[in-house]
Amino acid sequence: MMIRTDGIIFDLDGTLWDATVAFYDSWREYLTGQGVAFCHSLEDVKACMGLPMTEFFARLYPDMPRERQDVLREGVMAYENRYMERVGGVLYPKLKETLEVLAAKVPLMIVSNCQDGYIEAFFRAHDTGRYFTDWESFGRTGLLKADNISLVVERNHLKYPVYVGDVQGDADASHAAGVPIIYAAYGFGEIVDAEERIDRFEELIKVVTRNCSEQTV
């Protein structure tokens, strides 16, 4: 299927980078330092990636009182942001080179279910902020991904937005916002109803070059 686009909105985890190890280490360091047992595996954490932080924490500690969850969650998110900014994650191959090409063609944006400050940590850790014109998160607005996608589409006056994500929740949110999705099949999960698929990040150049050349005014 051919997708016209005048702006690309990206998911972050599993789409632009894999920060699972750094994420895991930061949570383990902080929570054990607070006297909280951290018995979860890396796969346990990876299975929760992409969820809003309130749900993420509740899944890891379902029996913990909500008030205690709230306090620890705020602390671990702040710690994680500082940790991520210092350590960074693993960028997918040819990410910067591809972003540079794409940014010269259309505006690039990020919408993630992460906490406030996490996207900025990605920017500072890897000098990637220069490629993006806008970004939004659950932590900043309190809105779920579909609403944040709609918010970014509206304030950037996009007529042909497209979202790039790696899990079915991304597709559900994107479609709820009326936006087609490109499935990043190299990421964390599966999508069954994507309009396009890429197996490597750099394949976006061909997709966007093709799509941009077919836009109508």
Side-chain angles (χ1 to χ4, degrees):
M1 180 176 178
M2 310 296 272
I3 306 174
R4 296 183 293 179
T5 182
D6 58 354
I8 306 173
I9 308 171
F10 292 91
D11 172 51
L12 180 48
D13 291 310
T15 300
L16 297 175
W17 72 350
D18 182 350
T20 311
V21 172
F23 186 102
Y24 180 87
D25 288 344
S26 68
W27 277 54
R28 182 181 57 188
E29 284 186 15
Y30 179 82
L31 291 171
T32 55
Q34 297 297 310
V36 178
F38 193 80
C39 303
H40 310 286
S41 70
L42 187 62
E43 289 305 312
D44 291 337
V45 171
K46 198 168 187 177
C48 295
M49 298 297 280
L51 297 174
M53 276 296 138
T54 49
E55 187 176 347
F56 191 119
F57 202 95
R59 284 201 184 187
L60 293 183
Y61 294 98
D63 299 325
M64 182 181 289
R66 179 62 183 269
E67 295 77 10
R68 179 66 168 155
Q69 283 189 30
D70 291 343
V71 171
L72 287 172
R73 188 180 64 251
E74 291 301 316
V76 76
M77 289 190 302
Y79 187 87
E80 179 197 346
N81 286 347
R82 295 191 298 270
Y83 190 96
M84 288 295 190
E85 182 177 339
R86 184 176 76 254
V87 175
V90 178
L91 300 182
Y92 288 109
K94 298 186 179 180
L95 184 111
K96 285 188 175 182
E97 300 93 321
T98 302
L99 290 176
E100 187 166 356
V101 173
L102 294 174
K105 299 178 180 298
V106 293
L108 308 182
M109 293 142 278
I110 296 175
V111 170
S112 171
N113 274 334
C114 63
Q115 70 268 20
D116 189 21
Y118 184 82
I119 296 172
E120 292 85 346
F122 163 70
F123 292 159
R124 288 190 285 267
H126 296 286
D127 189 29
T128 48
R130 55 200 168 105
Y131 302 116
F132 298 93
T133 60
D134 196 8
W135 56 93
E136 200 52 89
S137 66
F138 170 79
R140 187 159 68 176
T141 66
L143 301 174
L144 295 179
K145 184 168 281 187
D147 297 318
N148 279 327
I149 291 173
S150 295
L151 181 64
V152 167
V153 167
E154 181 178 357
R155 73 186 182 207
N156 287 277
H157 310 291
L158 301 180
K159 293 183 178 180
Y160 305 111
V162 62
Y163 193 76
V164 184
D166 66 305
V167 298
Q168 188 60 45
D170 293 332
D172 295 342
S174 184
H175 290 152
V179 176
I181 188 166
I182 298 173
Y183 169 34
Y186 52 81
F188 295 157
E190 297 182 357
I191 294 177
V192 299
D193 54 353
E195 282 77 12
E196 275 279 10
R197 170 190 172 123
I198 55 172
D199 293 297
R200 298 183 304 277
F201 190 75
E202 66 266 27
E203 291 176 11
L204 272 175
I205 294 176
K206 292 181 180 179
V207 172
V208 171
T209 299
R210 183 189 68 201
N211 292 340
C212 284
S213 67
E214 295 175 1
Q215 287 187 49
T216 58
V217 178

